Every structure is written in structure tokens, then in C-alpha cells.
Amino acid sequence: MCGIVGYVGPRLASPLLLEGLKRLEYRGYDSAGVAIMNGKGVETRKAPGKISELERLVTAAPIHGTLGIAHTRWATHGAPNFCNAHPHLSCDNNIAVVHNGIIENGSSLRQALEDVGHTFRSETDTEVLAHLIEEFFDGNLEEAVLEALRKVEGTYGIAVVSSRDPNKIVAARKGSPLLVGLGEGEYFVASDVSAILAHTRQVIYLDDGDLAVLERDGYRIIDMQALPMTRAVNSIDWDLDMIERGGFPHFMLKEIFEQPTTIENTMRGRLLVEEGTAKLGGINLTNEELLEFDNIVITACGTSWHSALIGEFMIEELARIPVEVEYASEFRYRNPVIGPRTLCIVISQSGETADTLAAMREAQKRGARALGIVNVVGSTIARESDGGIYIHAGPEIGVASTKAFTSQVIALALFTLRLARLRGLPAEEGRPIVEALQKLPAQIKDVLDRADEIESIADEFNDAANFLYLGRGYNFPAALEGALKLKEISYIHAEGYPAAEMKHGPIALIDENMPVVFIAPHDSVFDKVVSNVQEVKARGGRVIALTSRSEPSLAGKIDYEIRVPETIDMFTPILAAVPLQLLAYYIAVKRGANVDQPRNLAKSVTVE
Ligand code: F6R
């Protein structure tokens, strides 16, 4: 979603703010702006488009000042143009606000403010905040911000400056992530730690309802009643080079190639090889508690929802407990049957997805325990869940999720092993699963070593208008994920289907122009998939097949083959995901698409 960064300290603010914005650009990139205290007043620069546009403006007309705020936007209210770019200003231009989130009562507040004489310059809900703070301003910025926020419904992470109280940044959070960075004699505010990691690793994650005041000589955190709050300082162990491209042309490719390491990191210290199970320190559930649940609901969005489907299959197969997978965005609006005997697993790379967070809170409200499977340490879902499993995949910057997906599946496998053991899976059945897990990093490496072959297949298909992805069993979610990757970064229409469902409708689409990707490793449903391949071939479709051995039954039926190593059924979608990510990547690059920042998408969707 949008990104916020702010700075107060001895250094010039504008280079630091622009650098921070560039690191946040993956979160939103339709316009950007800065507001800096220049000694006389608030000076702003704003530009539609990429951060480089804003940088051009700031270089042409530098702003001198050591305190400022900045924003990169992903439009929710109003078109991505100059007027709607943040920061937004009060009528007298003395107050500047940057905001992530949505002010739900923005229209009524706007009307009320217009009625008392405020003039708006944008279509955004954020501008309401600037005028509302102006309305309450009486010399002290944090008091005015507190007053204003009491009138606001919705979600926000905000940073505010004012030339009438010029030595502070006021930041506040409700439902949209925000953190304070503590440097040497300087302070930062940011929506994401990557914006400030080059300058400090000491951060305080704000909680909902917190308001932080950053000044040159210190910071304070208060609550909505202005009472002082104490928040823990966290040390971030991500390196700067972990959030840089490391020689790869795109973050997405770098992250695809990181997967042998990232899945290893997800497993590290958690496998009990001899016992054929896993240990998970953070789930905060005793064996007795784990055995008390009647069912499991897994909720997530997008790619994380696809990993949830794989988790459903694994848990039901091995732990023999009913599992349902719910789109988080639908879950809380349909009065789900869920209570204290349900375990709710919440999967989110960012830990900040608004729909997923809301679904988790709904489940908790109904008495369910929530376990988070999350990548970003200290994110809201990580903090508000009752326990969880960090996937330790490191920062995922490419908008299309890749390494988080494979690590989520690993985390689900570890959880499955733990639960299944308690529910009767013998060690001798768990052991081959653990052994298969241990082989996966090297197997992924094998797939990556053949990236060139996948690139040459991409050459043949980059002008396709549509794609179908078909798989069965564990590889139906892999088909969904393959299709999602392709459509989001290449803008080719793609659909994933259970292979056998094809004959109930999508088969009508098959002709010589339709590429069909079959995920057909040698697993328990392989023979069934062969029949589906035949159905496509008989109608002239162009078949790309992911296979794991030379299969006589496929001879003459496939046009392109991508070979993946063999593993047990439950891990086949991991080995399928990697070449499908590469296929999507290479097709998108050949079409000239910006794979790291696909149009209309944002990395972390913090609005409903
Ligand atoms: C697809 C993608 C999205 C996310 C979804 C959930 O490549 O990245 O579909 O998976 O927005 O995000 P998280 O996992 O952060 O909750």
C-alpha cells in the first residue's frame, strides 16, 4: 500500500526522505511527495508517477531543512495525480499530513469542514485530516492531532508537521503499520522498516491508538487520552543487502533464486529428524490444548490463500482433523461458525493485510485462538495473534509473492507434522516427510539451474492472450498460484483450475492458441492428469507440462516439458511453484512489464 517516512535530526531531510521513499516504492508508486520545514514554513514538492519524478523536482529546486515527512501513494480515493498526491495541506498551508489507510467518515467530515469555510484541493480522504487538525490547532500539534483523530472513523498511519509548532513530527497509528526509528541523535518514522534500515536498526512498533511525538532531543509515545505509554525497542536483524537487489535485474528474480536458502531458514532448528516431527517454539499451545480443537479454519488472501489450500490438504491427510480455507475478505461478512474449539490459522507475508487482520480479529472475537504464519517480524498480525510461526523468509520486496509462498508451505508442513504426531501419526511415517523436507533446498536449486530452459519456453509464449493452468490434488493450488503469478506481472489473462474440472466448461476455450500448463509430477493422481492432457491435446491446445520423470504415457502429447525433481506428493507444489514463478517472470520481462511494480498492485494491501 502507501509508504510513509519522516525524519528529524541534524542532517538534511530531503535526501534521507527520498532514499526512504525509494525503499518503500514497492508499496505504492502512483505519486509521491515531501513536506519539509524550511525555517520559514512548510515547503512541499509533489509529483505523479515514480519517486524518480519527485527526485527530479527536488534536485531542481532543493528544500533546505532538517525535519520533514514524505509519502509514496497507491490510490484509493481519487486519481493518481498531482492534487491527490500527499502531503496534504491545511487551508493556511501551515499543516502537512501524510496518511496510509482510509478515513471511512471522510465524506461527512469533509462536508462539515466545508460548511465552516475550509476549502479542499484534492479528492482524497486524507485532506480531511489536514483541515480537521487545523480546526483544532491551538499552538500544540499533538493536542490538535489527538482531537482530530477522535473524530475519525477508519484506519490510519499518519505523520504530521506544522510550521506553527515547527520542531516536531507527530505520528499516529490505527490499523495501518507505523514505527519509530531511533538513530544517534535523530529520529525516524516509517510505515516499513526497510525505509530506515540504512540508518538504524532500533525501532519501536506503534500499537493501534498510539501517538508518537518526535523532536530533536527525544521522543514520546502517548495514547488517545494523552497518557504516556512505554513501548519496547526492537532490534532488527535484517541486513541492508537483504533489501537490495544483489546483482539481479529485479527483486522478484532475486527472491525466486533465494528460495533454497529461505525454505532452509523456515525449517532451521525446527526439524526433529529421528522423531519424524517438528518443534515450534512460538505457537503457545500445549499438547493438551492442541488436541482440544475440533476443526481448523485457515484464512488468508491471494498467494497466502493458495498456500493455505495446500495446508488444508496436508493437515487433513496427516492429522485427520477437518480444515476449511476461507478468503479473509469474505470470512467476517458471512457469520462463520467458529468458536473456542476452532483453531484459526492466519497466513500473511506482510502481517498487515487489512482483510486478513480483520478476519483474525473476528475469529478471536468469537473465541477462537489465532495462530499467525507471518514473515514480517513485529507486524500487526504477528503481534495480535495468540501465537505463531515466523517463516523467516527475509524481506520480500517484489510485489509478486514468491519466496514467502514456498516458506509458508514449509511452515504449514511443520505445523502438520507437529499436530499429526499428537493425533497419532507414527514416527516412521513422519520420518520420510522430514527427510523429504531436508532434500527440498537442493531440489529447488536443481530447478533454478534450469532457468534458461524455462526462459526459452517463455520466448514462445510472450504474445499469448490467455493461459490455463491445470493440476489436481496438491497441485490444484499450484495451478492457481501459477496463474496468479502470470496475470499479475505480465497482464496476460490466466486461470487456474482443477484439471478434471476443465471438461465442465473451460474446455470450450481450448484451441491452437491456448497454452495450457499442466502440473503433472509423478504423484498419486498422475494417471488422471494424463487423461486431462489428452483432452487438451485432442482439441489442439499447446501443452506445457511440468513432469518429474520421463513418462511414456505423455509421449507425443506435450509440446514443452519442464522437468522438476521427485518428492513426496505434499511437497510437489513447492517444486512446481518455482518454475511457474520463473515462467511468469520471463514472460513478463519479455513483454516489457515492470515485474517488481506491476500496475495497480501494491505489496501490502492495508485497505479493505
Ligand atoms: C500475489 C500477492 C498477493 C498477496 C496478498 C496477501 O503475488 O502478493 O496476492 O499474497 O495480497 O498478502 P499477505 O500475504 O501479505 O497477507
Side-chain angles (χ1 to χ4, degrees), residues 52-315:
S52 49
E53 294 300 314
L54 177 68
E55 193 172 25
R56 223 171 30 79
L57 285 185
V58 177
T59 315
I63 315 177
H64 296 285
T66 54
L67 183 154
I69 54 176
H71 189 263
T72 174
R73 177 169 186 252
W74 184 80
T76 57
H77 287 56
N81 56 25
F82 174 85
C83 291
N84 291 333
H86 300 212
H88 289 286
L89 299 173
S90 53
C91 293
D92 64 5
N93 295 331
N94 279 322
I95 295 168
V97 180
V98 294
H99 165 227
N100 291 350
I102 290 183
I103 307 301
E104 280 161 10
N105 58 343
S107 312
S108 55
L109 287 172
R110 183 182 184 116
Q111 190 57 59
L113 286 159
E114 281 174 345
D115 290 349
V116 295
H118 288 263
T119 306
F120 282 71
R121 302 161 181 144
S122 79
E123 302 158 84
T124 65
D125 52 340
T126 302
E127 195 183 345
V128 163
L129 290 171
H131 294 279
L132 204 55
I133 295 167
E134 179 174 40
E135 195 60 27
F136 290 115
F137 192 84
D138 192 16
N140 180 310
L141 185 59
E142 68 263 31
E143 282 170 15
V145 172
L146 275 180
E147 280 297 318
L149 292 179
R150 290 191 188 113
K151 303 274 179 225
V152 160
E153 287 161 24
T155 57
Y156 53 78
I158 56 167
V160 189
V161 293
S162 168
S163 55
R164 291 201 274 144
D165 191 1
N167 293 313
K168 58 176 76 149
I169 299 174
V170 173
R173 165 195 167 135
K174 185 179 156 211
S176 209
L178 210 58
L179 54 90
V180 173
L182 313 179
E184 295 284 325
E186 56 188 5
Y187 297 91
F188 300 83
V189 59
S191 51
D192 184 327
V193 72
S194 55
I196 61 169
L197 204 55
H199 307 287
T200 180
R201 282 151 193 273
Q202 303 300 305
V203 305
I204 295 171
Y205 293 104
L206 297 182
D207 278 345
D208 280 352
D210 283 354
L211 182 143
V213 183
L214 314 184
E215 291 170 286
R216 290 177 201 284
D217 54 359
Y219 71 94
R220 288 173 284 130
I221 298 174
I222 56 176
D223 70 5
M224 293 300 284
Q225 279 67 50
L227 297 171
M229 305 300 294
T230 311
R231 297 276 173 251
V233 178
N234 298 265
S235 251
I236 304 298
D237 61 3
W238 286 358
D239 286 335
L240 200 55
D241 63 357
M242 287 168 89
I243 56 167
E244 285 173 348
R245 280 208 303 262
F248 284 89
H250 296 99
F251 282 113
M252 182 178 176
L253 192 63
K254 174 186 176 231
E255 287 159 7
I256 292 172
F257 272 81
E258 277 173 2
Q259 290 175 105
T261 311
T262 48
I263 65 161
E264 189 123 46
N265 288 344
T266 313
M267 294 180 227
R268 193 179 309 285
R270 289 167 164 170
L271 297 180
L272 298 172
V273 185
E274 276 313 302
E275 294 94 316
T277 185
K279 62 169 187 264
L280 295 167
I283 62 175
N284 300 338
L285 286 165
T286 62
N287 288 350
E288 294 66 35
E289 284 169 328
L290 264 177
L291 283 168
E292 269 166 17
F293 296 113
D294 293 334
N295 66 327
I296 295 177
V297 168
I298 315 183
T299 186
C301 299
T303 288
S304 299
W305 186 83
H306 297 154
S307 72
L309 287 178
I310 298 167
E312 173 186 20
F313 298 171
M314 295 197 277
I315 297 169

Side-chain angles (χ1 to χ4, degrees), residues 534-580:
Q534 210 143 9
E535 288 156 11
V536 169
K537 208 61 216 155
R539 286 156 186 87
R542 296 161 78 194
V543 173
I544 304 163
L546 254 71
T547 59
S548 60
R549 58 170 91 155
S550 177
E551 303 280 5
S553 54
L554 283 176
K557 300 188 188 89
I558 55 182
D559 302 292
Y560 299 89
E561 191 170 13
I562 299 173
R563 196 53 77 75
V564 292
E566 296 219 316
T567 180
I568 58 175
D569 282 19
M570 65 193 272
F571 298 137
T572 53
I574 293 183
L575 294 182
V578 178
L580 297 182

Side-chain angles (χ1 to χ4, degrees), residues 26 57 103 146 172 207 216 231 235 330 403 412 431 434-435 457 462 484 498 501 508 534 575 581 603 608:
Y26 70 102
L57 285 185
I103 307 301
L146 275 180
D207 278 345
R216 290 177 201 284
R231 297 276 173 251
S235 251
E330 292 293 313
K403 62 178 181 172
L412 285 159
R431 219 170 287 131
V434 174
E435 284 161 8
I457 296 176
N462 60 52
L484 178 62
E501 269 296 301
Q534 210 143 9
L575 294 182
Q581 293 163 354
K603 182 66 188 158
E608 225 189 286

Side-chain angles (χ1 to χ4, degrees), residues 301-304 348-350 353 356 399-401 408 484-485 488 605:
C301 299
T303 288
S304 299
S348 175
Q349 186 285 127
S350 60
T353 301
T356 312
V399 165
S401 187
Q408 287 165 348
L484 178 62
K485 285 291 88 87
E488 67 184 332
V605 186

